[in-house]
């Protein structure tokens, strides 16, 4: 199971937080800070796993992260997930973002956090991996975006009618 | 109203959207909080409007603010409003917000039930998808209960997109509403073989999660997962399954044996590191589970270790990390294999990556031996000096202590060295682990008697240099060490060379700055030291030294009397008064030393932490019994529990320690004696406990050390452990040298540890004698201690509720709750309908599903849930016409099915399942049924793939076409066989439901069946041969197998034979042999001669039956054939075994070469018109049965299908495996049946008609 997925930048500003277990807002912020603290002090060429922090996890949990340019992608997972599998999943996630946003950069995530959530929802559901095939994920995301577009079009046209 | 909407829209133009909000926040970096609070006010205004678009926008912004840490739960109701919008765009916003901020205690959740249900059943798959995604984040027990049934329905949705989400969310539903697990499980299991890889992966995911927590309930799924593992190519699925097996193997070692081979193959073949790694992990788990007994899998261990070494040597830090992680698992059971890679692991200690260093440390723990402990610890000490970060350094410190203290200081040969290490560790700045070092010092000093003198000396120096430890405030953690030092010096003060000096050190004013509890120990132990000083001075006529000591106490103690700490104060004032009194006595020249010493007499022994818990209830004490008899109770009842308890007690009296070797026992006995000796209430047998020890039997050979007090204590306070390393080296060398001179007789002598040890030339583990008498006093336990109560699972663990037996048949009461107004349409019908639709609409799915099903082996087939069968029945209704006939003989297999089909199911299915699993597992050494079949198939000549020309070009409906085309693709003989197998099951199934009817070309509807008489049960199995040992049943009619078999290869026939063991002995080494004729030959594996028998791929325990299939090659099919055969087997009893044989005759009828092929009336007409067919006819008299029964029999026994039926007249069609068309026109009138037949092969036709005649003459 995945317990949480966090994206934050090099300064620890959260860009996306998805907790699959309930914490109150303050704890969530503390977890983000703590995780940032743990992850950011690591060198570039060290392994991508580290034992969980104090607030989230426990013995069974691990933080698995990847660092892309200005962003950290961190997954907090328990021992039922394969470490290398999750690393691949992060890669798929980032590549999917790249496809959906066309050369994704931090700004895309800042202004369209809702879209990132929707993409993530096609990959991970309730803490379990739903889909790992990038094409399938993109197909579903596109189909939903198309639906959204058609609805806004209808909405605007009805407004114009009035 | 319209105005309002317009107004809303205009307002909206001025609203901020999410992007504006983000931009705004970025532009207000200085007063972000203030800006956001104004934004929240705006949002509150927006939420008050009626316009849903405005609300959705507001909710979207709130979701963002939630991420920044703002509590938005006040808007929960608005979120629900947005969720219930009919527009997907808004609905999605609503569900996202809900998934981010709803949780179990959000009260508005209960308002959402109906909305979610509506969305789940929405025709738009994305509405459903969004609802499922949202629900997965905030499902509550109530929602789970109310929606479980709806979600379960969605598991069979036509869209894989919905199916996979529904399957996945079931896990959350199970967690919140465990009652749903059993009713939903059959369908979940079915999804393991879903044609869509996404759905399959989701199902594997869910079952793996479930099984991880309660593995024993999922053992019965092992064969299915095993099959998935060998067939799946999806690495995600494979990883999950392999991880699952890792959890299952500890429960079932036989499973492990089965796994080794395929896993090893995967290790060799896969290129995916993630998969390789998980395989290695699971192999390790298997090896661990097997390690307790049985064969040596050293090859597998070597493979794992070797692969892991490659990982560790990789430049990728991730692989290095994982390699070390896995290595530490091997270490537990196969330390030797890991120890050979010590170089590599020590190298990892120098890695720049802290995670990797920590993993390497873990490994070191298991790699130490008596020989290398000092060396390894020395290396670690270097790292301690180098380490910058306190966390890593603290980790090193704990590891050093762990490594040294593991299994009762097993690897420490020189405790002086260890004490020096501990003292060196006290020099660490700012460590958190002062108490850890302190407890080690105490433990060693108390339990290793021989070291006390040395320890006391070291502790005295520590006390003397206490200012070094406490001087820096940063070092606060370490001052705990002084607690231990003071206590040791006090308690074992008789070993002190200069107690007066230490006493002085303990009473320095600086001590008052230490924490209270340490001061208290100081004061108390100062008193002990004082007593020792008095005792030492007693002989002296000049009492000045003693009086000096008293004066010192009286001078210094008042400082502690003033202490704010209650305990320090209390002890100090008490002791102060005592010393004052003693001083008075001293001045009168009274001898006080003995009395003062009596205050502290007696030795303290270590007590196990759990000792109190383990005190057994004394015999005769019943804690549950009444102390005062309740008036009405009879006496006899009271006595009973006592008796039971007394009986059970011996069982509980096992002590906790695992390694109870003789030494250990002796030590414990000794410890107990000592305790008794020191117990003031115990009558002492001997004044000297030490003497008792030496006399104790069986311990003389332990070398007792005369502590060498020449050991120089070099720099006070800074002992160098290194010198002990050197000394130890020398000692060992000396031992080795001396060994050559010494003879064995010396062994029993008492001698110094500094030499004189009998030794063997190469220094091996056991040869290193400890430098001291390692009298490690074990922790005290009460006599007859109860075994430790295993750590119970956390009662709050949600997974505990899911520990449910899944093999038990479902009870009616366990159905999932369905909404009441829906009660009419039971949960099954809509789903089944859907599935059927799915079959028709998505032929591809069906075909692959069939492919998959074919892979199921026999055991699996039997286990199929009733529900699944039902579904299949619906799916294949259109094929039902070929499932008719009648015969009373009920074979084993069939009766077993009946019990499963019977409603409600009986427990027999469960037992069958269990024994099936046993069978699957017990099979391990012999290749399993399926594997054998595969071998046979492989040996068979490759079937020609060309489609036969003779295939009738009949018009087909979509279903038909799809079936065929899909079947064309199948080339594996094995699959064909299993397809047949599957079909057979279906047939049986139908008979028992009495739903079958051959009377029409349309698929039979349940409604029409009821009008007609039910059919008697039919079977194609007939008795082949039988004796007192074994019964063979042959499925004669099904010798001809499936359509696709014939399309590809017109010359093969598969015979299924059920072997049933009728006797009480074990039957094994069964060999099946047939005397080949010119026309028909048994297919044998390549390389075997034409007269060799085929080994039946299983053994039969008493009362068990199993089925084997044999492939025959037939050249001409126009004539019936008989083949003689023999079955040889060994009957194995407890003491002897005998060879037995059984002869039989296989009868290949012509109808057995026919296969049911559906045909449509226009194609049928064309065929008849073509004029290529020869005709023939027969008349049957006195057939006394309803027409549909008659048709059913022909269909069932002779593999025809009904083309068209009009009143009492029907046309039927079948094809042979070589493509001959056989057409029948069956008419009936008053007990007379006339059959006109046409076929392109007259001989075949004649024989078939004869066989039909025979069928009816039998009844």
């Amino acid at each position: 199971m995945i317990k949480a997925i966090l994206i934050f930048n090099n300064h620890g500003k959260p860009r996306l937080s998805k907790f699959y277990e309930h914490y109150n807002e303050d704890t969530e912020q503390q977890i983000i800070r703590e995780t940032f603290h743990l992850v950011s002090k690591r060198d570039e060429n060290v392994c991508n796993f580290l034992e969980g922090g104090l607030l989230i996890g426990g013995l069974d949990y691990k933080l698995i992260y990847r660092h892309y340019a200005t962003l950290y992608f961190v997954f907090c997972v328990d021992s039922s997930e394969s470490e290398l599998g999750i690393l691949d999943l992060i890669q798929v996630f980032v590549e999917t973002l790249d496809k959906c946003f066309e050369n994704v950069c931090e700004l895309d995530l800042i202004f369209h956090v809702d879209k990132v959530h929707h993409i993530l929802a096609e990959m991970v559901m309730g803490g379990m991996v739903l889909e790992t095939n990038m094409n399938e994920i993109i197909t579903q995301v596109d189909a939903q975006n198309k639906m959204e577009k058609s609805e806004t079009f209808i909405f605007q046209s009805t407004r114009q009618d009035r | 109203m319209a105005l309002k909407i317009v107004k809303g829209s205009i307002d909206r133009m001025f609203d901020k959207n999410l992007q504006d909000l983000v931009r705004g926040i970025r532009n207000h970096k200085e007063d972000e909080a203030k800006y956001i609070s104004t934004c929240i006010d705006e949002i509150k205004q927006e939420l008050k409007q009626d316009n849903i678009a405005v609300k959705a926008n507001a909710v979207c912004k709130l979701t963002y603010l939630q991420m920044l840490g703002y509590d938005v739960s006040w808007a929960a109701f608005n979120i629900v409003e947005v969720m219930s919008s009919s527009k997907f765009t808004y609905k999605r916003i609503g569900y996202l917000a809900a998934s981010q901020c709803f949780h179990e205690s959000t009260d508005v959740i209960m308002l959402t039930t109906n909305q979610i249900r509506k969305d789940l059943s929405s025709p738009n798959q994305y509405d459903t998808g969004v609802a499922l995604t949202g629900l997965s984040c905030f499902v509550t027990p109530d929602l789970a209960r109310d929606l479980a049934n709806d979600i379960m329905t969605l598991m069979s949705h036509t869209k894989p997109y919905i199916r996979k989400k529904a399957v996945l969310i079931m896990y959350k539903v199970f967690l919140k509403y465990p009652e749903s697990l059993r009713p939903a499980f059959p369908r979940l299991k079915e999804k393991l073989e879903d044609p869509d890889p996404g759905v399959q992966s989701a199902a594997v995911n869910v079952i793996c999660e479930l099984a991880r927590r309660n593995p024993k309930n999922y053992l019965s799924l092992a064969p299915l997962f095993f099959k998935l593992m060998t067939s799946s190519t999806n690495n995600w699925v494979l990883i999950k399954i392999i991880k699952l097996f890792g959890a299952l193997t500890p429960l079932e070692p036989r499973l492990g044996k089965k796994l080794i081979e395929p896993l090893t193959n995967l290790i060799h073949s896969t290129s995916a590191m993630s998969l390789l790694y998980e395989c290695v992990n699971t192999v390790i788990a298997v090896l661990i589970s097997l390690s307790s007994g049985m064969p040596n899998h050293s090859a597998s261990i070597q493979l794992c270790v070797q692969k892991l070494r490659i990982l560790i040597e990789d430049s990728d830090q991730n692989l290095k990390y994982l390699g070390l992680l896995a290595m530490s698992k091997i270490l537990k059971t196969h330390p030797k294999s890991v120890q050979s890679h010590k170089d590599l692991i020590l190298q990892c200690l120098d890695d720049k990556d802290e995670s990797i260093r920590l993993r390497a440390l873990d490994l070191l723990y298991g790699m130490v031996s008596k020989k290398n402990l000092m060396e390894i610890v020395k290396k670690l000490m270097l790292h301690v000096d180098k380490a910058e970060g306190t966390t890593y350094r603290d980790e090193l410190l704990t590891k050093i202590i762990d490594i040294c203290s593991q299994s009762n200081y097993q690897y420490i040969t020189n405790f002086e060295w260890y004490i020096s290490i501990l003292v060196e560790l006290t020099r660490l700045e700012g460590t958190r682990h002062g108490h850890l070092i302190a407890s080690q010092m105490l433990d060693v000093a108390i339990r290793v008697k021989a070291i006390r003198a040395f320890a006391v000396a070291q502790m005295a120096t520590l006390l003397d240099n206490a200012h070094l430890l406490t001087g820096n405030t940063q070092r606060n953690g370490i001052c705990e060490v002084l607690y231990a030092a003071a206590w040791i010096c006090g308690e074992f003060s008789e070993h002190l060379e200069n107690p007066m000096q230490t006493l002085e050190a303990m009473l320095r004013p600086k001590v008052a700055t230490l924490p209270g509890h340490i001061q208290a120990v100081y004061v108390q132990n100062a008193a002990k030291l004082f007593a020792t000083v008095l005792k030492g001075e007693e002989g002296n006529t000049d009492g000045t030294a003693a009086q000096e000591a008293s004066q010192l106490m009286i001078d210094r103690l008042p400082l502690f009397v003033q202490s704010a700490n209650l305990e320090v104060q209390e002890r100090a004032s008490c002791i102060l008064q005592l010393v004052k009194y003693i001083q008075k006595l001293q001045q009168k020249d009274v001898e006080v030393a003995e009395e003062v010493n009596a205050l502290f007499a007696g030795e303290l022994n270590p007590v196990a932490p759990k000792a109190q818990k383990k005190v057994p209830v004394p015999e005769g004490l019943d804690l549950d019994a009444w102390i005062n008899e309740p008036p009405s109770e009879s006496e006899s009842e009271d006595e009973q529990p006592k008796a039971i308890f007394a009986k059970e007690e011996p069982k509980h009296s096992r002590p906790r320690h695992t390694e109870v070797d003789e030494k250990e026992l002796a030590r414990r006995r000794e410890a107990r004696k000592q305790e008794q000796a020191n117990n003031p209430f115990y009558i002492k047998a001997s004044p000297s406990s030490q003497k008792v020890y030496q006399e104790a039997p069986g311990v003389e050979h332990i070398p007792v050390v005369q502590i060498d007090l020449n050991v120089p204590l070099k720099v006070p306070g800074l002992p160098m452990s290194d010198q002990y390393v050197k000394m130890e080296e020398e000692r060992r060398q000396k031992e080795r040298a001396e060994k050559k001179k010494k003879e064995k007789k010396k062994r029993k002598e008492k001698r110094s540890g500094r030499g004189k040890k009998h030794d063997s030339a190469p220094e091996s583990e056991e040869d290193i004698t400890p430098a001291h008498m390692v009298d490690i006093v074990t922790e005290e336990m009460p006599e007859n201690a109860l075994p430790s109560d295993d750590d119970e699972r956390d009662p709050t663990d949600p997974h505990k509720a899911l520990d449910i037996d899944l093999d038990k048949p479902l009870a009616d009461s366990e159905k999932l709750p369905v909404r009441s107004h829906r009660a009419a349409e039971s949960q099954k019908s809509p789903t089944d309908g859907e599935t059927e639709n799915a079959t028709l609409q998505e032929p591809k799915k069906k075909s692959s599903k069939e492919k998959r099903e074919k892979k199921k082996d026999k055991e699996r087939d039997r286990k199929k849930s009733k529900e699944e069968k039902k579904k299949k029945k619906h799916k294949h209704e259109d094929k039902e016409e070929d499932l008719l006939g009648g015969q009373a003989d009920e074979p084993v297999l069939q009766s077993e099915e009946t019990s499963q089909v019977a409603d409600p199911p009986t427990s027999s299915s469960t037992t069958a399942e269990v024994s099936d699993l046993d069978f699957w597992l017990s099979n391990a050494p012999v290749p399993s049924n399926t594997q054998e079949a595969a071998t046979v198939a492989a040996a068979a000549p490759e079937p020609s793939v060309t489609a036969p020309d003779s295939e009738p070009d009949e018009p087909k409906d979509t279903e038909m076409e799809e079936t065929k085309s899909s079947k064309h693709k199948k080339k594996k003989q094995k699959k064909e066989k299993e397809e047949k197998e599957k079909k057979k099951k279906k047939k049986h199934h139908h008979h028992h439901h009495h739903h079958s009817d051959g009377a029409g070309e349309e698929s039979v509807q349940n409604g029409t069946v009821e009008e007609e008489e039910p059919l008697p049960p039919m079977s194609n199995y007939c008795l082949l041969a039988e004796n007192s040992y074994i019964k063979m049943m042959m499925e004669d009619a099904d010798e001809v197998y499936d359509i696709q078999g014939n399309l590809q290869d017109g010359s093969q026939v598969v015979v299924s034979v059920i072997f049933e063991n009728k006797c009480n002995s074990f039957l094994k080494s069964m060999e099946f042999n047939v005397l080949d004729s010119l026309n028909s030959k048994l297919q044998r594996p390549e390389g075997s001669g034409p007269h060799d028998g085929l080994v039946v791929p299983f053994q039969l325990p008493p009362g068990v039956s199993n089925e084997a299939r044999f492939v025959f090659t037939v050249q001409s099919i126009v004539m019936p054939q008989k083949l003689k055969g023999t079955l040889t087997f060994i009957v194995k009893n407890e003491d002897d075994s005998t060879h037995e044989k059984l002869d039989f005759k296989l009868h290949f009828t012509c109808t057995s070469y026919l296969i049911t092929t559906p045909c449509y009336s226009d194609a049928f007409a064309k065929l008849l018109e073509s004029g290529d067919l020869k005709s023939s006819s027969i008349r049957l008299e006195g057939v006394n049965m309803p027409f549909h029964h008659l048709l059913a029999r022909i269909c069932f026994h002779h593999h025809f299908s009904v083309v068209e039926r009009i009143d009492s007249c029907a046309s039927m069609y079948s094809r042979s495996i070589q493509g001959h068309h056989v057409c029948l026109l069956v008419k009936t009138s008053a007990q007379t049946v006339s059959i006109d037949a046409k076929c392109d092969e007259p001989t075949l036709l004649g024989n078939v008609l004869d066989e039909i005649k025979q069928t009816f003459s039998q009844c």
Side-chain angles (χ1 to χ4, degrees), chain B residues 414-434:
Chain B
N414 186 334
F415 277 94
E416 288 171 8
W417 165 81
Y418 186 45
I419 294 276
S420 317
I421 289 285
L422 288 176
V423 173
E424 272 178 58
L425 286 174
T426 61
R427 288 181 290 148
L428 279 186
E429 282 194 34
T431 179
R432 287 185 289 120
H433 294 297

Side-chain angles (χ1 to χ4, degrees), chain B residues 492-511:
Chain B
F492 306 118
S493 50
E494 70 268 20
H495 298 292
L496 268 180
E497 275 191 289
N498 192 351
M500 191 59 194
Q501 190 191 339
T502 312
L503 181 64
E504 196 275 330
M506 281 171 73
L507 293 171
R508 283 178 198 153
K510 193 120 202 241
V511 173

Side-chain angles (χ1 to χ4, degrees), chain B residues 154-199:
Chain B
L154 290 178
M155 282 166 75
S156 311
H157 199 272
T158 48
K159 300 251 171 52
Y161 179 74
I162 299 300
R163 283 209 304 279
K164 73 180 177 194
K165 289 197 168 194
V167 168
L168 215 51
I169 202 179
M170 275 321 269
Y171 179 66
K172 295 273 169 169
V173 173
F174 296 151
L175 278 184
K176 300 288 177 187
Y177 178 55
E179 289 86 344
S180 61
L181 177 57
R182 282 178 30 77
F185 194 71
R187 191 168 298 181
L188 181 61
K189 203 165 128 188
E190 192 182 300
K191 293 294 145 201
L192 285 176
E193 300 183 90
D194 196 278
D196 184 87
V199 182

Side-chain angles (χ1 to χ4, degrees), chain B residues 765-812:
Chain B
E765 190 69 342
E766 296 73 26
D767 300 329
I768 302 166
T769 358
H772 301 275
M773 174 197 71
V774 193
D775 174 25
I776 299 167
V777 183
T778 45
E779 291 167 330
E780 263 182 27
M781 287 289 251
E783 286 183 59
N784 304 329
L786 295 164
S788 67
D789 16 336
D790 294 323
D791 327 271
E792 297 240 319
R793 268 170 105 172
D794 179 10
T796 56
D797 183 3
H799 302 282
K800 212 179 165 191
L802 287 179
D803 191 357
I804 295 169
D805 182 4
L806 294 164
D807 296 332
K808 236 172 32 194
L810 268 184
D812 280 348

Side-chain angles (χ1 to χ4, degrees), chain B residues 459-515:
Chain B
M459 294 303 117
T461 9
L462 261 188
L463 286 177
D464 212 25
N465 297 296
H467 57 280
L468 293 176
L469 299 179
T470 52
N472 195 334
T473 39
Q474 229 193 347
R475 293 175 152 188
N476 265 342
I478 206 68
C479 64
E480 289 291 327
V481 171
L482 295 176
Y483 176 101
W487 190 88
I488 292 170
C489 285
E491 184 65 24
F492 306 118
S493 50
E494 70 268 20
H495 298 292
L496 268 180
E497 275 191 289
N498 192 351
M500 191 59 194
Q501 190 191 339
T502 312
L503 181 64
E504 196 275 330
M506 281 171 73
L507 293 171
R508 283 178 198 153
K510 193 120 202 241
V511 173
T513 58
L514 291 173

Side-chain angles (χ1 to χ4, degrees), chain B residues 878 881 998-1003 1159-1161 1202-1205:
Chain B
D878 43 352
E881 53 257 82
E1001 64 265 79
E1002 293 104 13
S1003 46
C1159 180
Y1160 292 85
S1161 47
V1202 176
V1203 180
E1204 211 169 357
R1205 178 187 163 188

Side-chain angles (χ1 to χ4, degrees), chain B residues 85-271:
Chain B
S85 159
S86 58
K87 285 218 166 59
F88 172 73
T89 315
Y90 305 146
K91 193 184 285 298
R92 183 154 79 156
I93 292 171
Y95 272 106
L96 175 61
S99 75
Q100 289 295 86
C101 56
F102 282 12
H103 51 93
E104 278 201 17
S105 48
T106 307
D107 43 9
V108 292
I109 279 196
M110 58 190 185
L111 303 177
T112 61
T113 316
N114 278 313
Q115 179 57 41
I116 295 172
R117 180 174 283 139
K118 210 175 105 193
D119 290 334
L120 289 182
S121 55
S122 160
N124 181 345
Q125 63 165 331
Y126 292 112
D127 282 351
T128 316
V130 182
L132 284 172
T133 307
L135 188 60
S136 72
C137 292
F138 58 77
V139 61
T140 62
D142 285 342
L143 279 178
R145 190 194 55 233
D146 295 339
L147 296 173
N149 193 48
D150 302 74
I151 297 171
M152 204 164 112
T153 313
L154 290 178
M155 282 166 75
S156 311
H157 199 272
T158 48
K159 300 251 171 52
Y161 179 74
I162 299 300
R163 283 209 304 279
K164 73 180 177 194
K165 289 197 168 194
V167 168
L168 215 51
I169 202 179
M170 275 321 269
Y171 179 66
K172 295 273 169 169
V173 173
F174 296 151
L175 278 184
K176 300 288 177 187
Y177 178 55
E179 289 86 344
S180 61
L181 177 57
R182 282 178 30 77
F185 194 71
R187 191 168 298 181
L188 181 61
K189 203 165 128 188
E190 192 182 300
K191 293 294 145 201
L192 285 176
E193 300 183 90
D194 196 278
D196 184 87
V199 182
Q200 196 189 21
S201 148
V204 169
N205 222 331
V206 171
I207 293 187
C208 288
E209 275 302 325
L210 290 169
R212 201 164 73 93
R213 311 292 182 154
N214 299 297
K216 65 175 189 313
N217 299 335
Y218 298 87
L219 259 182
S220 61
L221 287 182
L224 176 55
F225 275 114
F226 189 81
K227 186 128 0 85
L228 282 178
M229 182 179 82
T230 42
S231 61
S232 177
T233 51
N234 179 343
N235 280 352
W236 270 92
V237 170
L238 280 173
I239 287 174
K240 283 277 169 192
I241 293 175
I242 287 166
K243 268 184 166 287
L244 172 68
F245 276 132
L248 291 182
T249 42
L251 302 172
E252 182 51 272
R254 288 179 294 172
L255 175 63
K257 272 182 236 161
K258 240 187 142 83
L259 284 172
I260 288 270
E261 198 198 322
L263 286 179
T264 316
N265 292 343
L266 266 177
I267 289 176
H268 283 301
S269 64
T270 185
S271 59

